[in-house]
Amino acid sequence: MLENDEITLVKSVGEKIRLRRLEINLSQETLSYDANIPRNQVGRIERGEISTSITTLHKICKALKIEMRDLF
């Protein structure tokens, strides 16, 4: 089970991913295709419902053309 500060981090990262995706006008479907992850996983990450792996974050960042440090 995640601690409160971990929940806050997961939600913050998800929100930053969503904002960047919208900023560059990508749909969740396009992001999921570009990052090679399921579309429903993108939604769950953006809503802060799941904590994801470093590997998945790396794929998302590549697709969004940002550095991982931009999410923190």
Side-chain angles (χ1 to χ4, degrees), residues 30-41:
T30 301
L31 176 56
S32 72
Y33 178 81
D34 291 349
N36 195 30
I37 60 174
R39 195 214 51 80
N40 67 332
Q41 186 176 359

Side-chain angles (χ1 to χ4, degrees), residues 31-60:
L31 176 56
S32 72
Y33 178 81
D34 291 349
N36 195 30
I37 60 174
R39 195 214 51 80
N40 67 332
Q41 186 176 359
V42 171
R44 294 182 72 207
I45 292 167
E46 287 185 353
R47 291 188 300 276
E49 294 176 355
I50 59 171
S51 177
T52 193
S53 70
I54 297 288
T55 303
T56 299
L57 283 179
H58 178 70
K59 290 177 180 181
I60 290 170

Side-chain angles (χ1 to χ4, degrees), residues 57 61-62 64-72:
L57 283 179
C61 288
K62 281 181 65 174
L64 295 174
K65 298 177 177 69
I66 59 173
E67 298 292 326
M68 284 184 63
R69 68 176 169 257
D70 296 332
L71 298 178
F72 301 99

Side-chain angles (χ1 to χ4, degrees), residues 21-35:
R21 178 179 61 76
L22 294 173
E23 181 181 294
I24 62 173
N25 201 29
L26 285 184
S27 66
Q28 284 186 349
E29 186 172 343
T30 301
L31 176 56
S32 72
Y33 178 81
D34 291 349

Side-chain angles (χ1 to χ4, degrees), residues 1-13 48 51:
M1 184 112 182
L2 295 176
E3 300 288 326
N4 283 340
D5 58 336
E6 293 169 326
I7 293 169
T8 300
L9 175 64
V10 168
K11 288 181 183 270
S12 174
V13 167
S51 177

